[in-house]
Amino acid sequence: MKCKLSPLKVAGFAITCTLFGCVHAHAAPPPPAPPPPVAAPQPAPSGPVPLERWAEVHPEAARELGDWAHAHPQAAQRFFEWDAHHPEKSHEFVTWTITHPAQGIDAFISTHPRWPFFDKSMAKHRPAAEAFMAWCRRHPPAAEALMNHPRALEWAGHNLYKM
């Protein structure tokens, strides 16, 4: 037996399927894809920072050291040159500066009497020496990370600050 539908019933069925969906219609669309994973921030490097990456790892300290070098070019050149010949002494100066935050250049000179560079140069470049000490105290991790590389100030002067 054949079922005959009137044209009116067929039209009503078509409208109903269009508005409300049919039982035999396609399956529901798949859920949207999850968003891409967010990249985790880079952790601080463990161990010593390679000298070539020091400015990248310590950008604010690097910028301020450059500002100091350009504000005091004669003193910076002398200090960078001194670091090239006496890296152990320049490291000691930075470490002493950080560990003696309330003491100035005169206290350092009096506790290191056989350092002719400081006796002569600091008299002529006292404001530069005090500004460098202030930089060390504002950025102790960066200063120590730099000084953990022998002749790093000389390297920074030539490679970062073009002095």
Side-chain angles (χ1 to χ4, degrees), residues 4-122:
K4 291 187 176 182
L5 294 174
S6 70
L8 187 58
K9 286 185 179 180
V10 171
F13 181 73
I15 291 173
T16 303
C17 283
T18 301
L19 293 176
F20 302 107
C22 287
V23 174
H24 301 291
H26 295 287
V38 177
Q42 292 291 331
S46 61
V49 174
L51 187 55
E52 297 77 16
R53 290 197 55 230
W54 177 82
E56 176 188 333
V57 175
H58 302 284
E60 185 178 340
R63 181 188 51 76
E64 285 187 27
L65 183 59
D67 291 347
W68 170 83
H70 292 292
H72 307 281
Q74 290 178 336
Q77 287 175 343
R78 285 191 57 115
F79 197 64
F80 294 160
E81 182 181 321
W82 182 72
D83 175 61
H85 299 289
H86 305 284
E88 70 290 341
K89 288 185 177 183
S90 59
H91 186 226
E92 184 176 342
F93 175 63
V94 168
T95 301
W96 185 94
T97 297
I98 294 167
T99 58
H100 296 82
Q103 297 182 1
I105 192 67
D106 292 329
F108 181 83
I109 291 171
S110 69
T111 59
H112 297 79
R114 293 192 180 104
W115 287 31
F117 172 81
F118 280 89
D119 293 345
K120 296 173 186 170
S121 296
M122 293 307 124

